[in-house]
Amino acid sequence: MLVKVFGAAVQGIDALVVTIEVNCSQGIRFFMVGLPDAAVKESHERIVSAVEHNGYRFPRKQVIVNMSPADIRKEGAAYDLPLAVGILASDEKIKTGKLSEYMLMGELSLDGSILPIKGALPIAIKAREEGFKGLIIPKANVREAAVVNHLDVYGVENITEVIRFLNGEIELEPTVIDTRAEFFREYTHFDLDFSDVKGQESVKRAFEVAAAGGHNIILIGPPGAGKSMMAKRLPSILPPLTLQEALETTKIHSVAGRMERGSSLLSQRPFRSPHHTISSVALVGGGAFPQPGEISLAHNGVLFLDELPEFSRQVLEVMRQPLEDRKITIARAKYSIEYPAGVMLVASMNPCPCGYYNHPEKECICSPGTIQRYLGKISGPLLDRIDIQVEIVPVPFEKISDTRPSESSESIRRRVIAAREIQAARFADYPGIHCNAQMTTRLLNRFAVPDEAGLKRLKDAMNRFHLSARAYDRILKVARTIADLEGSEGVQVQHINEAVNYRNLDRENWGDR
């Protein structure tokens, strides 16, 4: 008897329907075709054990399984459940009436328990797009998939539940999630707050400007000055995710298998902080079994690279194009996949190998050549994509011992949101442009032209500090954001002054004694 069961394959952050055709006929052999990988081929042993452990008999016949489309590689153990259902239905142990209405995915253990899978959310979205009535998946993934409206999502723990449901012996209760309520429940709750930061008012101001305009930022300072502490608090002042951004971010984490058990929708912007020993593939994605990298897991959030010069040169260079294009394309001989990579880059570094160059109290023991080689690990093209460069100094004792709370993240966030709303209105007619950091030269010439005094100040700064030509556009972008924070229509001289102060590493004499 020939039957068809439906599953899904995840490619990138999207899914496509996989039709599993099973035919039982006279004989005793088992064939599986349709480009399955080793994990899918091994499903035969898991299915035999799971089925017979739950009181059913694996057919003693010739079983032919075809997984279509045959040119798409089927990977992982998530096909166990649809394969098992298809084999039992072909052997007439399961009624076929409901098989065309449901998509099934799940990994089987030897006792028939159904284990979690990756990519439940994109699979659910695809099931709804293709008009399926429902989706049957592991119970551990049910809340993640149930955020998709107009689709019955059933979470099951054992293969017996699935068999009895398809045979009409029991009814399963679909999981219902109020997507908006789930989204708004915790999207303003943060464990870390800028009120914990003592002193460093100028650096906090730089973070506010960076958040308001979506600018990449780098902090240069000695150990213990508070670089990591403030970077970790950046998500608390960023504008909240929109529902569409939350769905997109959740899809990426779902595909990577990074969703916590029982979670549904990510409501806060991600913060990723990979170690400096990370490989290029781990950062941008790919591999033998393609997975999103850290730059994609940080999509719509913050990618924090601590001790930037300690990262390998190759790792840093592969980030250049994703930072510009806000996406990463992984092209290999057998596949080509695109992952989103719209991140806000935050980097930190010591000013020299010992960490104490320009320190007000401790003496640096590095030679000028050593300092230059250390700074030279960061290429000009990468530095070109960082709008704000801030030097940070240690906090004096008087500030550390002050028990009065600093300004809270909530009050800073209100100003950031107001500035982003101005930018949203400004770029409403420019698809793909959402904040000042994404402005092209043409948009700069339209929206970020300084007044006469500001233009003169910019010229003086370029000549005095020997700023590079690439710093010109960056200063104008940052100045436009500072003007938005003040509610100013034009870019004025005070905005240029502040923006110039955020270009420390571009100064020709930085790092010289």
Side-chain angles (χ1 to χ4, degrees), residues 40-53:
V40 179
K41 291 177 181 177
E42 290 171 354
S43 64
H44 175 263
E45 283 69 29
R46 292 191 295 271
I47 292 170
V48 171
S49 176
V51 166
E52 297 191 347
H53 190 274

Side-chain angles (χ1 to χ4, degrees), residues 71-125:
D71 60 336
I72 300 296
R73 188 164 181 80
K74 321 304 183 302
E75 299 171 342
Y79 296 99
D80 289 358
L81 181 59
L83 285 170
V85 168
I87 291 169
L88 292 177
S90 181
D91 196 36
E92 300 184 358
K93 300 292 192 306
I94 294 178
K95 297 177 181 178
T96 59
K98 294 183 178 179
L99 292 183
S100 62
E101 299 177 354
Y102 295 92
M103 184 180 284
L104 304 92
M105 291 297 283
E107 177 183 346
L108 289 176
S109 67
L110 296 183
D111 65 356
S113 300
I114 300 178
L115 305 177
I117 62 172
K118 295 180 180 180
L121 180 55
I123 290 171
I125 293 172

Side-chain angles (χ1 to χ4, degrees), residues 449-461 476 491-497 500:
V449 179
D451 59 15
E452 187 175 342
L455 193 61
K456 183 177 183 302
R457 173 68 182 97
L458 181 54
K459 180 181 178 181
D460 291 343
L476 288 181
V491 177
Q492 300 171 3
V493 63
Q494 66 270 24
H495 308 141
I496 295 292
N497 279 333
V500 167

